[in-house]
Amino acid sequence: TVQFFTPKLLAGHSLLLTAGPTREAIDPVRYISNHSSGKMGFAIAKAATDMGAEVTLICGPVNLATPAGVKRVDVISTRDMLEAVMSRVDNHDIFIGCAAVADYRVADVATDKIKKSSKDMQLALVRNPDILATVASHSPRPFTLGFAAETQDVERYAKDKLLRKKLDMIAANDVSNPELGFNADNNALKVIWAKGQKDLPPTDKQTLAGQLLAIVAERIAILKDDNK
Ligand code: CTP
Ligand code: CA
């Protein structure tokens, strides 16, 4: 596609962004993770750069090329991702949590490969920190946008996450449709903030990223005006 002109709606802003899955080790050869491809996050990184933002992308294990101009930091586990985010959050005025973060990690990671026995086995898991909620409760905090991957009651669960994590905005996607979300090239989003919402219908992730960031830019401008 030929783009003659992308309005620099995010000029002067710096975006910190998480993308991809996180991975939690079980032993030196095995791990727990999820189907996130990182495509949506990388599309947001590219769109934000095109719109004039400085972008730092903290990503889990993905197979994607870094968009030109984007600063990329690779991490593996949820706790690594949290550390990479919190050490940089003060240098950014927008945070977008696009990563599919592992909610649990293995309680005791084995130092050697676990051998099978004749018995069944159980794996003890402990809760991981919530990166998005940690950013949202940090002071001073950036404009904070989260994602909500849901398979049912999309709007209700997304609104619940918006309030519970004290976010400025949430972008919900219905991952029950295999054509959209997670590993797919297309996606659709229901974008919700305290005073309104907007549906972005199914399209390719790059177009969708631009539409989402246009809403972010508009909300940030309105918040700035409100504070005058
Ligand atoms: N998230 C995060 N850190 C976690 C878990 C989630 O930063 N430990 C972020 C994700 O990047 C996403 C948002 O929180 O922006 C929502 O993730 P999601 O998995 O949909 O929600 P959870 O709060 O983990 O709730 P659940 O998985 O039970 O639906
Ligand atoms: Ca989760």
Side-chain angles (χ1 to χ4, degrees), residues 9-136:
L9 294 175
L10 291 176
H13 292 283
S14 60
L15 168 66
L16 184 63
L17 175 69
T18 65
T22 60
R23 188 184 277 182
E24 302 296 344
I26 297 171
D27 70 12
V29 298
R30 305 180 177 98
Y31 59 82
I32 297 172
S33 192
N34 59 66
H35 291 296
S36 170
S37 62
K39 283 175 194 164
M40 193 63 220
F42 275 59
I44 290 173
K46 178 178 172 3
T49 306
D50 290 347
M51 290 162 89
E54 294 271 339
V55 179
T56 307
L57 174 61
I58 314 292
C59 64
V62 295
N63 251 312
L64 297 170
T66 312
V70 170
K71 257 181 260 160
R72 169 173 171 173
V73 179
D74 288 288
V75 296
I76 306 281
S77 73
T78 299
R79 287 188 296 175
D80 293 345
M81 185 175 274
L82 177 68
E83 151 76 28
V85 165
M86 295 317 290
S87 65
R88 291 170 179 84
V89 69
D90 287 330
N91 302 324
H92 298 81
D93 68 336
I94 306 173
F95 177 80
I96 302 181
C98 202
V101 180
D103 293 324
Y104 296 88
R105 69 177 178 276
V106 177
D108 293 297
V109 180
T111 41
D112 289 305
K113 184 186 167 192
I114 300 168
K115 303 303 286 182
K116 68 172 177 273
S117 73
S118 54
K119 294 183 197 131
D120 293 339
M121 75 171 279
Q122 288 192 339
L123 208 51
L125 302 177
V126 295
R127 267 291 299 271
N128 263 330
D130 191 304
I131 299 166
L132 182 62
T134 306
V135 169

